[in-house]
Amino acid sequence: MLTTFDPSIALEGRVIGRVFGRGDLAVRALYPTDVTIRRGEVLVIMGPSGSGKTTLLSILGLVLTPTEGEVLVDGRSVSRATADEMAVLRRDRVGFIFQQFNLLPSLSALENAAIPLLLSGLRRAERISRAMHALEIVGMADKRSATPRLLSGGQQQRVAIARALVNDAPVLLCDEPTASLDGATGRGILATLRELAQSGRAVAIVTHDERVLSFADRLVHVIDGRAQADEAHGHARPAETQSDDIGSSQLQETTL
Ligand code: ADP
Ligand code: MG
């Protein structure tokens, strides 16, 4: 279905909600809500552990089917997409970044970044060239031969960002991307995500850490499954004009 199309909106959830289980065992993880993810913007989805953030991000990332509402990609509903069409949309439209970087320990940084291209049909030389480019964007080209255990947490997360970028997906969805990192390292990762938004991508960051707020253009609070946009946060200042320091203690704390 084609609807009125705003090209700045990369992903949109319309009255998306989710219940897990049935009957007496049913758990309402997310009450129906509208969320838009726009190009050129960092959307921060903030809330305590268990509030429904990952559920919301997973629905928007097309890895979890909502029990209510629909997701639109570039203005087009995916409700009727086949499993194959959904797989292509996930591959081409969305890059995921997680708290745990999930790099394959036996592969180099370059090979890890190239993983999403393995089923692309591209020739090896092209896969390597694209993975190198992604590593360059995150400042990790000089570490291309290193395996994950030779890299710091922040460097591993940069490789994970490169892996999410390698398909040139317009949307980056990040679930607690700094929760395993110390403060300064987490701030560096957030600055990189912000630059990626400024280069035209759409970035959504799920977090329970309020210090991520200084990197937000827009903010959605999720509490007990209820998402609410923070209108006051509609036009955040650029991160570089802000002085909030992300200290090490809270960013080292992990959730779930
Ligand atoms: P957050 O990411 O904010 O910590 P989640 O979205 O993971 O929260 O979870 C929201 C609620 O939904 C929690 O009560 C959680 O236990 C429940 N939930 C999440 N995933 C499942 C699932 N697969 N089956 C049953 N309940 C789930
Ligand atoms: Mg979560």
Side-chain angles (χ1 to χ4, degrees):
M1 181 185 68
L2 269 178
T3 55
T4 45
F5 178 51
D6 176 348
S8 74
I9 299 177
L11 264 185
E12 181 175 0
R14 289 199 183 157
V15 288
I16 47 171
R18 175 74 200 205
V19 174
F20 288 105
R22 289 170 187 274
D24 290 348
L25 297 176
V27 175
R28 167 63 73 177
L30 183 68
Y31 289 87
T33 187
D34 294 332
V35 181
T36 51
I37 301 185
R38 291 176 183 276
R39 295 172 209 280
E41 194 175 85
V42 175
L43 171 69
V44 169
I45 299 170
M46 165 107 23
S49 190
S51 58
K53 305 183 299 296
T54 293
T55 300
L56 176 56
L57 202 70
S58 303
I59 293 171
L60 291 167
L62 312 176
V63 295
L64 179 69
T65 310
T67 44
E68 296 97 2
E70 60 179 358
V71 176
L72 289 79
V73 177
D74 292 331
R76 191 182 288 263
S77 172
V78 302
S79 299
R80 293 171 188 273
T82 65
D84 284 352
E85 289 167 345
M86 289 295 269
V88 170
L89 284 171
R90 278 194 295 269
R91 185 194 68 196
D92 293 346
R93 310 301 301 176
V94 210
F96 264 103
I97 296 155
F98 301 98
Q99 173 181 343
Q100 300 304 335
F101 326 119
N102 299 328
L103 301 179
L104 291 181
S106 63
L107 300 185
S108 68
L110 183 66
E111 290 164 333
N112 266 289
I115 287 173
L117 300 175
L118 282 176
L119 298 177
S120 64
L122 293 172
R123 298 165 61 98
R124 180 177 157 76
E126 177 66 18
R127 297 200 304 267
I128 288 175
S129 151
R130 290 196 190 189
M132 264 312 286
H133 180 60
L135 286 180
E136 280 163 10
I137 290 173
V138 298
M140 287 293 292
D142 59 331
K143 299 285 185 190
R144 61 187 171 276
S145 303
T147 53
R149 83 184 162 79
L150 297 175
L151 301 174
S152 70
Q155 290 172 330
Q156 291 184 57
Q157 189 61 300
R158 288 185 181 281
V159 175
I161 295 173
R163 182 182 56 192
L165 288 173
V166 78
N167 269 323
D168 215 16
V171 182
L172 291 179
L173 301 179
C174 315
D175 197 348
E176 310 268 7
T178 58
S180 299
L181 304 174
D182 67 67
T185 306
R187 200 164 35 170
I189 292 295
L190 291 167
T192 295
L193 291 171
R194 200 174 160 81
E195 284 167 19
L196 290 168
Q198 281 164 346
S199 75
R201 293 178 181 81
V203 176
I205 303 174
V206 151
T207 185
H208 66 285
D209 190 321
E210 301 217 332
R211 282 164 295 187
V212 177
L213 283 180
S214 60
F215 292 85
D217 295 305
R218 263 189 322 127
L219 175 62
V220 170
H221 280 290
V222 188
I223 297 172
D224 291 338
R226 296 180 194 277
Q228 189 164 26
D230 183 345
E231 301 299 341
H233 215 91
H235 302 283
R237 301 153 292 165
E240 53 274 19
T241 66
Q242 300 181 2
S243 58
D244 311 41
D245 195 51
I246 298 185
S248 60
S249 56
Q250 284 190 32
L251 274 182
Q252 279 172 339
E253 174 185 313
T254 56
T255 54
L256 292 183

